[in-house]
């Protein structure tokens, strides 16, 4: 094995062997589907595998299992080029695969990442592979697991087969996943074996952004550090907004003043109801817990988490300030997804908010352009409305939870007529507050009024 000298950051490492023609992708969630489709659209034969028959049947009919802007077209394009195949059969997926991407979920389990899906995908892949290959960990996996991974590979692979392990974390944001894949800010590749790393690098031939080569642990840490830093920025700005609220300042101006310093930047400084999703909340927790297991500490992230959970209560306090008691009051929530342009409700602050409001005796009605089917499954004590106007009929207050464009463009005159009391709590500082105030709404945002 030719060992890499790392960390090395350059795009100069180029694979000079035969072109990689066939890859397999295990797992067809966000990461797997977008990754597989990307490589297929860039000339590689891709077989995506999932153990769910139902999912594969739908994918073969061109139906993505979740809402992601542009993904249906992106998938159709690859299918039409005959570069993309979906299957539940490991033998079919691995037959010619030179590189296998593991893209299965690593959901939270008691604060850790649950590695059981990775383990079973790795085992099945190793058991079936009868030729040399590179296995790439693309799902977010904790650091400190290299020896465990190597053991799983060693214990399950065929004797005469050489398998190399490479880590290539994903940096896709839901809602902009295709753009993030097509124009990534960076590609991170961690691995020990030079040829294996170079093979993976060669798949990113159309990428012009920096490619960072490093060791496996650093690659995993880059992913955790990135998400944790973004989460820290958000909790920082939410705390700042809460202080501005108490002092009567305006956080929008404060952020502008801070963000223009290029050392700080203005991104991920949008105050709001708190961050959610399947990544930031889970990753900060897994980061500090895994650090502790390795006799290290990342206590700042515990505070980031606490601030985030409390941020939903800020909305309840604002409603109480404006309405007095919430008992029997009808509160309309616009948006249920954890952010706009997705139907994902995992760790959505909307769910926390519903529970807090119900505890206060409020009647909650929610709506969302895409996320209602998923949100209904939570079985919370609330009603659902087909659209914003229906939700707002007779409402004592509106809370903007998710910044869907359709809510910005509502007919606000009509909204005012529909509501029992024109109270707006803008949980994302998203609405046109000048317009709303001029129409007579009682508006409050987060750190801005
Ligand atoms: C996040 C990262 O942004 C991706 O780079 C990463 O690849 C992904 O996790 C992952 O680990 O798979 P995502 O979970 O899709 O992506 O969501 P973000 O767009 O980062 O938003 C996370 C949460 O923060 C949302 O609830 C959003 O509303 C909130 N947010 C974001 C704020 O409250 N303020 C901001 O300024 C930005």
């Amino acid at each position: 094995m030719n060992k890499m000298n790392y960390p090395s950051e350059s795009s100069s490492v180029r694979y000079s062997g035969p072109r990689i023609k066939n890859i397999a992708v295990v797992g067809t969630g966000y990461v797997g589907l977008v990754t597989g489709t990307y490589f297929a659209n860039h000339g590689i034969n891709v077989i995506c595998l999932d153990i769910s028959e139902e999912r594969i049947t739908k994918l073969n009919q061109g139906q993505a299992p979740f809402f992601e802007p542009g993904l249906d077209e992106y998938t159709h394009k690859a299918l039409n080029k005959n570069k993309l195949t979906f299957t539940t059969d490991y033998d079919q997926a691995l037959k010619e695969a030179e590189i296998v991407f593991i893209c299965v979920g690593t959901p939270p389990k008691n604060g850790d990442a649950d590695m059981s899906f990775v383990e079973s995908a790795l085992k099945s892949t190793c058991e079936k592979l009868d030729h040399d290959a590179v296995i790439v960990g693309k799902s977010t996996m904790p650091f400190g697991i290299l020896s465990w991974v190597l053991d799983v590979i060693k214990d399950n692979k065929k004797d005469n087969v050489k398998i190399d392990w490479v880590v290539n974390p994903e940096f896709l944001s839901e809602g902009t996943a295709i753009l993030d894949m097509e124009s990534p800010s960076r590609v991170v590749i961690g691995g020990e074996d030079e040829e294996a790393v170079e093979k993976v690098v060669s798949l990113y031939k159309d990428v012009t952004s920096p490619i960072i080569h490093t060791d496996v642990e650093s690659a995993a840490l880059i992913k955790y550090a990135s998400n944790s830093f973004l989460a820290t920025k958000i909790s920082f700005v939410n705390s700042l907004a809460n202080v501005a609220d108490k002092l009567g300042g305006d956080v929008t101006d404060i952020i502008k003043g801070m963000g223009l310093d290029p050392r700080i930047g203005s991104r991920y400084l949008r105050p709001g109801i708190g961050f959610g999703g399947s990544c930031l909340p889970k990753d900060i927790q897994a980061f500090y817990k895994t650090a502790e297991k390795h006799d290290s500490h990342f206590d700042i992230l515990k505070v980031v988490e606490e601030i985030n959970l409390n941020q939903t209560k800020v909305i309840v306090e604002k409603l109480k300030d404006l309405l007095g008691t919430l008992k029997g009051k009808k509160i309309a929530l616009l948006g249920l997804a954890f952010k706009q342009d997705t139907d994902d409700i995992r760790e959505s602050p909307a769910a926390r908010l519903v529970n807090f409001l119900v505890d206060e005796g409020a009647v909650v009605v929610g709506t969302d352009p895409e996320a209602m089917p998923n949100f209904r499954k939570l079985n919370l004590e609330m009603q659902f409305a087909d659209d914003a106007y229906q939700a707002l009929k007779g409402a004592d207050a509106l809370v903007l939870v998710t910044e869907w464009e359709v809510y910005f463009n509502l007919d606000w005159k009509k909204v005012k007529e529909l509501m029992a009391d024109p109270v707006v709590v803008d949980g994302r500082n998203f609405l046109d507050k000048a317009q709303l105030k001029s129409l007579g709404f009682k508006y409050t945002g987060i750190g801005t009024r």
Side-chain angles (χ1 to χ4, degrees):
M1 172 166 92
N2 293 322
K3 280 221 169 193
M4 299 282 301
N5 288 322
Y6 37 63
S8 72
E9 187 239 304
S10 80
S11 46
S12 62
V13 177
R14 285 287 173 240
Y15 174 58
S16 50
R19 198 168 70 84
I20 302 295
K21 291 197 184 119
N22 300 293
I23 68 167
V25 175
V26 182
T28 58
Y30 266 99
V31 178
L33 194 51
V34 176
T35 303
T37 308
Y38 168 82
F39 288 126
N41 277 322
H42 287 261
I44 316 279
N45 298 314
V46 181
I47 303 190
C48 287
L49 174 136
D50 203 291
I51 51 173
S52 161
E53 294 271 0
E54 191 193 338
R55 186 167 272 226
I56 291 300
T57 309
K58 282 196 177 149
L59 284 166
N60 273 323
Q61 291 159 358
Q63 287 172 35
F66 45 81
F67 171 75
E68 174 66 30
L71 184 58
D72 283 343
E73 297 82 341
Y74 199 55
T75 311
H76 279 130
K77 197 167 126 193
L79 286 169
N80 290 340
K81 286 180 179 170
N82 286 326
K83 288 285 178 191
L84 186 59
T85 308
F86 296 106
T87 185
T88 54
D89 179 3
Y90 265 98
D91 287 321
Q92 184 192 350
L94 300 180
K95 194 162 178 262
E96 308 210 42
E98 296 150 273
I99 298 180
V100 182
F101 281 85
I102 303 291
C103 299
V104 295
T106 51
K109 190 179 175 190
N110 307 324
D112 283 333
D114 178 356
M115 294 296 287
S116 58
F117 301 105
V118 171
E119 184 174 6
S120 105
L122 255 181
K123 273 185 179 168
S124 304
T125 303
C126 292
E127 279 164 12
K128 301 273 178 191
L129 270 173
D130 54 14
H131 55 270
D132 297 353
V134 181
I135 302 185
V136 182
K138 198 147 187 61
S139 321
T140 303
M141 297 185 203
F143 41 96
I145 59 158
L146 178 60
S147 58
W148 174 80
V149 171
L150 296 181
D151 281 348
V152 176
I153 293 175
K154 185 164 60 71
D155 294 346
N156 292 283
K157 75 173 190 64
K158 293 189 169 121
D159 284 343
N160 55 341
V161 171
K162 176 178 180 277
I163 293 179
D164 288 299
W165 173 247
V166 167
V167 168
N168 171 215
E170 55 86 16
F171 298 102
L172 308 176
S173 292
E174 292 181 19
T176 56
I178 296 167
L179 190 71
D180 294 340
M181 193 77 213
E182 287 284 345
S183 308
S185 47
R186 75 292 203 196
V187 173
V188 173
I189 300 180
E192 301 274 334
D193 183 84
E194 195 172 346
E195 191 184 350
V197 168
E198 288 175 0
K199 280 182 179 170
V200 179
V201 169
S202 76
L203 293 178
Y204 291 97
K205 60 185 174 9
D206 297 329
V207 160
T208 51
S209 28
I211 295 180
I212 313 285
H213 310 140
T214 185
D215 60 283
V216 165
E217 296 298 5
S218 302
L221 273 165
I222 288 170
K223 170 67 196 227
Y224 276 98
S226 302
N227 275 359
S228 298
F229 194 73
L230 296 176
T232 304
K233 280 188 97 174
I234 299 168
S235 279
F236 181 95
V237 80
N238 282 337
S239 300
L240 184 65
N242 298 342
V243 172
D245 260 335
K246 295 280 181 230
L247 297 176
D250 192 319
V251 79
T252 316
D253 292 342
I254 301 170
I255 299 164
K256 211 178 278 166
M258 278 174 69
L260 284 170
D261 182 335
R263 294 170 302 173
I264 298 173
S266 58
R267 297 191 68 190
Y268 280 76
L269 283 184
R270 277 184 295 114
I273 186 171
F275 58 80
S278 66
C279 307
L280 266 46
K282 146 177 103 87
D283 289 355
I284 55 170
Q285 205 175 74
F287 199 170
Y288 70 70
K289 291 206 170 178
T290 312
E292 275 163 17
K293 275 193 206 155
H294 292 272
D295 209 16
S296 190
H297 296 280
F298 219 126
D299 290 352
I300 188 174
L301 296 179
K302 293 182 184 171
V303 181
V304 166
E305 181 180 50
E306 192 188 318
I307 294 167
N308 193 50
L309 295 174
N310 277 329
Q311 198 58 19
T312 323
K313 289 189 192 142
V314 169
I315 305 281
V316 180
E317 292 311 314
K318 283 178 182 291
L319 285 167
K320 281 171 119 177
D321 284 350
L322 289 155
L323 297 174
T325 176
L326 301 185
K327 209 167 173 50
K329 298 278 166 65
K330 179 177 173 183
I331 313 292
L333 308 188
L334 301 194
L336 301 168
F338 83 96
K339 65 172 185 180
Q340 76 282 18
D341 296 333
T342 178
D343 61 358
D344 198 338
I345 54 128
R346 286 175 287 177
E347 295 296 322
S348 173
R352 285 195 290 277
L353 181 59
V354 171
N355 288 331
F356 287 142
L357 292 173
V358 169
D359 286 348
E360 295 286 335
V363 177
V364 183
V365 54
T367 188
D368 190 285
E370 296 291 340
M372 280 205 287
N374 285 337
F375 212 81
R376 276 182 202 277
K377 291 183 200 152
L378 298 179
N379 280 324
L380 302 181
E381 205 179 314
M382 65 181 293
Q383 300 156 19
F384 290 91
D386 289 343
D387 62 22
Y389 299 113
Q390 196 188 330
L392 290 163
K393 215 168 173 186
D396 295 292
L398 168 172
V399 182
L400 188 285
V401 177
T402 316
E403 60 273 58
W404 286 99
E405 207 182 320
V406 64
Y407 299 145
F408 186 88
N409 295 320
L410 288 175
D411 177 345
W412 287 98
K413 273 191 192 148
K414 182 172 161 184
V415 169
K416 181 141 184 279
E417 282 159 23
L418 285 171
M419 290 181 74
D421 195 356
V423 167
V424 173
V425 177
D426 185 350
R428 300 285 186 173
N429 294 355
F430 172 68
L431 302 171
D432 183 345
K433 73 173 178 183
Q435 184 203 6
L436 264 64
K437 282 185 186 174
S438 73
L439 288 169
F441 283 92
K442 296 173 218 166
Y443 174 95
T444 184
I446 310 289
T448 185
R449 275 171 290 171

